[in-house]
């Protein structure tokens, strides 16, 4: 299906279309093939950037770096590209997905817990305004996956929850927030994550919903976001066998992931759902892609079967050769190549990137941040959720609680800070400091070393009870690539970190990531879900624990831990 550049989401003028067509006419085949590639930049040195520029790619995605480094990378790339580049980042939670100093509004699940779609709009606005100040123009977001399976290790806090109507509404608002401010989006991960309990980084996954259930939920969500004008879409390494079975399709294996499926990309996405915009693969370094065949075959096949751009390379020159060979061997037809190029350049023309004044940045993100940080605080205040307080622990009574022991479980490092090389105090330490400032005696109960375990083995229950008036599990278990579970792991090999003491000392839990930890802590009856490991979020948590602020959040997911079988009965 050929692109219509006068229709949504492009809506180009005759002048813009002329630039697209004349630019394509003036390109060599080598330049055309280069435009299909969307590369990753984690190394800001010029030698690395020059290697990326050697194939004249269509886009580059930066990993989080300090602001000045990002600014330098973006301006260098654009200055040395004859055709303007898409410059993207994973702006799922905030501009911190691009640069270390960027505003972190909060994970999408925190936005969902506010039940206020206008805050999703503000999140998109925050992301693109700060990113554009550093030369960025594209968000690899929003995620419009529906987290039906509580055991899914990827969607989780990155989703807007398990209510497809809320997911759709908030996805549309995020899109509007970005696109109203001159940026591009990629709704993801088509045909929809949140059903399988596996991770595409390590295995192809399956959206196992029935044909009817998929169209009523994921299909409806994608259709509504497409009709709303989303400019781009990311195809996941996710299969949708029910579509093949319902339609009697045998031209492809029904378990072919969307990133390689002509049936799902052309027949379903372009045809039935009417998507006219840009399609790119999800990262092709994932085993969900690479495990489907030889890379030399998969690289051109992804474009031949309906993607317009190819996300990330293993080896730039080798993957480029694979793509070129695919064109020369007829896997990618001239017609498919030209259509992909029109979609790529058409989107660039939409925001007039071909006018050089629109691509040079000057690092003006600071002008927005006071307002943006207030938005983040509002999100935290409205999103932090009291799941239960059957133990009657809250608000904390200083006449009864003086000594607090904290057991920290999860991932210590902040991923964005770690990737940018910028050290940061652990969020659990920030939480402890806030409680100390409230006047509590705070200590961390740590059984991660042998000496601590030996000491605990000989400690009497009476002594343990005398040591603490309250024990708090503080949990930060983020989703991340190649982590196949977000379930709790206890530090002590003998189990001293497990809640054996709930009937000895009042005990509560605070999760600043995965909201499903009650599956592993069923005996804890005071539980707070905060969804995002950020400073402004833990500040809101402590304010609410002290009773100075009410809990306003609603759980955006069902806390039902029966195994997910592919049936949506519990949501009907």
């Amino acid at each position: 299906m050929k692109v219509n550049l006068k229709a949504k989401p492009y809506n180009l003028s005759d002048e813009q279309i002329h630039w697209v067509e004349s630019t394509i006419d003036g390109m060599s085949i080598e330049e055309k093939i280069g435009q299909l590639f969307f590369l990753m930049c984690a190394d800001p040195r010029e030698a690395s950037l020059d290697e990326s520029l050697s194939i004249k790619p269509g886009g580059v995605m930066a990993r989080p770096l300090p602001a000045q480094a990002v600014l330098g990378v973006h301006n260098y790339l654009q200055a040395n590209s004859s055709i303007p580049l898409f410059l993207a980042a994973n702006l799922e939670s905030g501009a911190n997905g691009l640069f270390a100093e960027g505003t972190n509004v909060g994970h999408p699940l925190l936005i969902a817990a506010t039940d206020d779609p206008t805050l999703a709009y503000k999140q998109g606005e925050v992301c693109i305004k700060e990113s554009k100040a550093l030369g960025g123009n594209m968000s690899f977001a929003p995620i419009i996956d529906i987290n039906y399976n509580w055991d899914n290790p990827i969607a989780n806090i990155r989703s807007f929850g398990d209510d497809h109507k809320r997911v759709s509404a908030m996805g549309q608002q995020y899109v509007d927030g970005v696109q109203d401010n001159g940026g591009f989006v990629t709704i993801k991960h088509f045909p929809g994550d949140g059903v399988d309990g596996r991770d595409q980084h390590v295995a192809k996954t399956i959206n196992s919903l029935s044909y009817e259930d998929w169209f009523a939920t994921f299909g409806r969500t994608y259709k509504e976001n497409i009709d709303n004008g989303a400019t781009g879409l990311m195809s996941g390494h996710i299969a949708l066998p029910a579509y093949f079975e319902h339609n009697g399709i045998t031209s492809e294996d029904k378990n072919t992931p969307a990133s390689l499926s002509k049936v799902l990309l052309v027949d379903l996405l372009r045809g039935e759902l009417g998507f006219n915009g840009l399609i790119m693969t999800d990262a092709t370094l994932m085993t969900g892609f690479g495990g489907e065949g030889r890379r030399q075959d998969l690289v051109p096949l992804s474009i031949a079967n309906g993607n317009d751009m190819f996300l990330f390379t293993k080896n730039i020159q080798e993957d480029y050769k694979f793509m070129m060979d695919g064109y020369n061997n007829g896997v990618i037809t001239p017609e498919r190549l030209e259509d992909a190029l029109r979609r790529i350049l058409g989107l660039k023309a939409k925001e007039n990137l071909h006018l050089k004044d629109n691509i040079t940045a000057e690092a003006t993100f600071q002008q927005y941040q006071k307002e943006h940080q207030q938005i983040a605080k509002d999100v935290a205040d409205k999103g932090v959720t009291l799941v239960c307080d059957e133990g009657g622990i809250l608000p904390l009574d200083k006449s009864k609680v003086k000594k607090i022991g904290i057991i920290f479980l999860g991932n210590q490092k902040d991923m964005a800070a770690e990737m940018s090389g910028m050290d940061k105090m652990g969020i659990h330490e920030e939480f402890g400091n806030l409680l100390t400032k409230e006047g509590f005696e705070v200590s961390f109960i740590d059984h991660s070393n042998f000496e601590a375990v030996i000491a605990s083995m000989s400690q009497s229950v009476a002594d343990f009870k005398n040591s603490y008036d309250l024990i708090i599990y503080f949990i930060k278990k983020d989703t991340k690539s190649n982590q196949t579970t977000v379930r709790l792991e206890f530090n002590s090999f003998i189990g001293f970190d497990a809640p054996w003491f709930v009937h000895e000392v009042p005990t509560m839990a605070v999760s600043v990531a995965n909201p499903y930890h009650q599956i592993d802590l069923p005996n804890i009856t005071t539980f707070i879900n905060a969804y995002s490991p950020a400073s402004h979020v833990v500040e809101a948590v402590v304010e609410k624990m002290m009773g100075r602020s009410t809990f306003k959040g609603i759980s955006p997911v069902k806390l039902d831990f029966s195994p997910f079988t592919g049936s949506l009965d519990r949501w009907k």
Side-chain angles (χ1 to χ4, degrees):
M1 297 180 181
K2 292 185 178 180
V3 64
N4 180 355
L5 294 179
K6 285 188 174 290
K8 190 186 296 183
Y10 303 96
N11 303 311
L12 299 191
S13 66
D14 290 339
E15 182 180 357
Q16 290 168 321
I17 292 174
H18 174 73
W19 175 79
V20 172
E21 298 295 347
S22 62
T23 300
I24 292 173
D25 289 343
M27 295 168 70
S28 66
I29 186 59
E30 291 78 12
E31 290 172 320
K32 291 179 179 180
I33 294 298
Q35 279 293 300
L36 302 176
F37 285 91
F38 216 118
L39 304 180
M40 183 199 303
C41 170
D43 182 355
R45 292 172 295 185
E46 286 189 8
S48 178
L49 301 180
D50 288 340
E51 182 182 12
S52 295
L53 291 169
S54 68
I55 65 167
K56 299 184 178 180
V60 175
M61 176 217 175
R63 290 294 189 181
L65 295 165
Q68 285 302 315
V70 172
L71 179 67
V73 165
H74 282 175
N75 282 342
Y76 185 86
L77 289 171
Q78 294 288 30
N80 290 281
S81 299
S82 57
I83 296 174
L85 293 160
F86 292 127
L87 295 175
N90 276 332
L91 304 178
E92 298 170 9
S93 300
N96 61 313
L98 174 62
F99 64 107
E101 302 94 325
T103 300
N104 177 6
V105 180
H107 284 301
L109 202 60
L110 177 64
I111 306 292
T114 70
D115 203 28
D116 183 353
T118 65
L119 291 175
Y121 181 97
K122 290 182 179 180
Q123 183 183 43
E125 185 178 29
V126 167
C127 289
I128 202 63
K129 279 186 174 181
E130 292 187 20
S131 296
K132 286 186 73 175
L134 297 177
N137 52 41
M138 179 178 280
S139 173
F140 282 173
I143 291 177
I144 56 173
D145 297 325
I146 309 170
N147 202 67
Y148 286 129
N149 188 347
W150 61 267
D151 207 24
N152 181 285
I154 288 297
N156 201 283
I157 51 176
R158 299 170 67 205
S159 77
F160 288 115
D162 63 11
D163 180 334
H164 69 87
K165 293 179 181 178
R166 183 183 293 118
V167 171
S168 179
M170 290 196 163
Q172 292 174 65
Q173 286 291 309
Y174 180 99
V175 167
D176 290 346
V178 171
Q179 294 183 180
D180 288 352
N181 289 281
F184 311 109
V185 300
T186 56
I187 53 178
K188 60 185 184 182
H189 305 85
F190 182 82
D193 201 358
V195 173
D196 203 321
R198 295 171 294 175
D199 171 6
Q200 296 91 54
H201 293 85
V202 299
K204 172 185 67 183
T205 66
I206 309 291
N207 186 313
S208 58
L209 296 190
S210 69
Y211 178 86
E212 294 77 14
D213 280 347
W214 185 87
F215 265 100
T217 56
F218 286 95
R220 175 177 171 176
T221 297
Y222 271 98
K223 179 62 174 170
E224 289 172 351
N225 275 265
I226 288 167
D227 290 347
N228 187 54
T231 49
L233 177 147
M234 190 175 287
S235 62
H237 312 312
I238 305 169
L240 184 63
Y243 184 78
F244 290 76
E245 294 163 354
H246 180 85
N247 292 292
I249 297 170
T250 58
S251 58
E252 284 180 358
D253 186 318
K254 67 180 182 180
N255 289 317
T256 302
S259 54
L260 289 163
S261 173
K262 190 172 185 178
V263 169
L264 296 181
L265 295 182
V266 177
D267 297 351
L268 174 55
L269 182 57
R270 294 284 190 212
E272 292 192 50
L273 299 182
F275 185 58
N276 187 44
L278 177 76
I279 304 174
M280 71 175 70
T281 68
D282 200 349
T284 62
L285 301 178
M286 297 183 191
T287 302
F289 179 88
E292 293 299 293
R294 300 187 307 172
R295 192 167 181 86
Q296 67 187 66
D297 300 323
L298 301 180
V299 170
L301 188 64
S302 65
I303 300 297
N305 284 354
N307 293 286
D308 304 306
M309 299 193 79
F310 182 85
L311 186 60
F312 303 161
T313 55
K314 190 173 189 303
N315 176 281
I316 291 176
Q317 300 304 327
E318 184 180 56
D319 278 359
Y320 180 87
K321 181 181 184 299
F322 291 158
M323 194 74 79
M324 181 64 77
D325 288 346
Y327 177 80
N328 290 333
N329 295 334
V331 176
I332 302 173
T333 65
E335 293 78 16
R336 173 78 274 268
L337 177 60
E338 297 284 311
D339 184 65
L341 290 169
R342 287 188 177 92
R343 294 179 193 276
I344 296 166
L345 297 186
L347 208 53
K348 294 177 179 182
K350 175 181 174 65
E351 292 300 332
N352 293 311
L353 298 188
H354 57 296
L355 305 178
K356 287 290 185 179
D357 289 345
N358 291 337
I359 59 175
T360 302
E362 298 179 354
T364 56
F365 67 91
Q366 295 94 338
Q367 67 178 305
Y368 306 117
Q369 288 202 309
K370 184 176 181 180
E371 176 187 354
H372 290 177
Q373 287 163 4
Q374 185 57 54
I375 291 171
K377 290 179 180 179
D378 291 343
V379 166
D381 177 56
K382 294 177 181 178
V384 171
T385 305
L386 180 62
V387 177
C388 58
D389 185 26
E390 294 173 22
I393 292 173
L394 299 176
L396 297 185
D397 184 343
K398 287 186 178 181
S399 69
K400 297 179 181 178
V401 177
K402 294 181 174 59
K403 296 175 290 185
I404 297 178
I406 298 176
I407 297 176
F408 172 67
L409 301 174
N411 311 317
Q412 280 200 348
K413 290 281 188 177
D414 176 85
M415 287 185 67
E418 186 174 13
M419 292 168 68
S420 69
M422 298 179 69
D423 292 329
K424 183 180 178 182
M425 180 186 293
I427 197 70
H428 60 297
E429 295 168 313
E430 291 188 43
F431 178 70
N433 287 346
L434 288 171
L435 291 177
T436 298
K437 289 179 181 177
E438 294 290 343
F440 299 107
E441 298 175 26
V442 176
S443 59
F444 283 90
I445 304 172
D446 182 6
H447 291 112
S448 60
N449 63 78
F450 183 73
E451 289 76 12
V453 171
I454 295 299
S456 288
M457 289 176 67
S458 60
Q459 185 181 32
S460 67
V461 171
D463 184 41
F464 185 85
K465 292 172 65 173
N466 288 333
S467 299
Y468 310 106
D469 301 314
L470 173 67
I471 293 176
I472 302 175
Y473 278 96
F474 186 85
I475 311 163
K476 174 186 174 289
K477 187 75 172 181
D478 304 82
T479 57
K480 63 178 182 178
S481 302
N482 306 298
Q483 176 181 265
T484 57
T485 181
V486 284
R487 295 282 293 274
L488 287 181
E489 296 174 356
F490 294 90
N491 294 325
S492 171
F493 67 89
I494 294 180
F496 289 125
D497 283 344
W500 61 268
F501 42 76
V502 293
H503 296 292
E504 309 290 351
V505 179
T507 305
M508 63 176 288
V510 176
S511 172
V512 291
N514 180 13
Y516 299 109
H517 287 311
Q518 283 175 297
I519 182 66
D520 293 313
L521 297 171
N523 294 326
I524 294 181
T525 56
T526 298
F527 220 105
I528 297 170
N529 278 335
Y531 315 104
S532 288
S535 298
H536 63 284
V537 175
V538 294
E539 289 169 4
V541 168
V542 171
E543 285 291 300
K544 295 173 190 302
M545 288 174 61
M546 299 306 300
R548 292 191 292 267
S549 173
T550 59
F551 287 92
K552 304 177 183 71
I554 56 97
S555 180
V557 291
K558 288 187 180 298
L559 299 176
D560 177 344
F561 302 113
S562 54
F564 181 73
T565 62
S567 169
L568 296 187
D569 287 347
R570 73 184 81 162
W571 285 272
K572 292 179 181 176

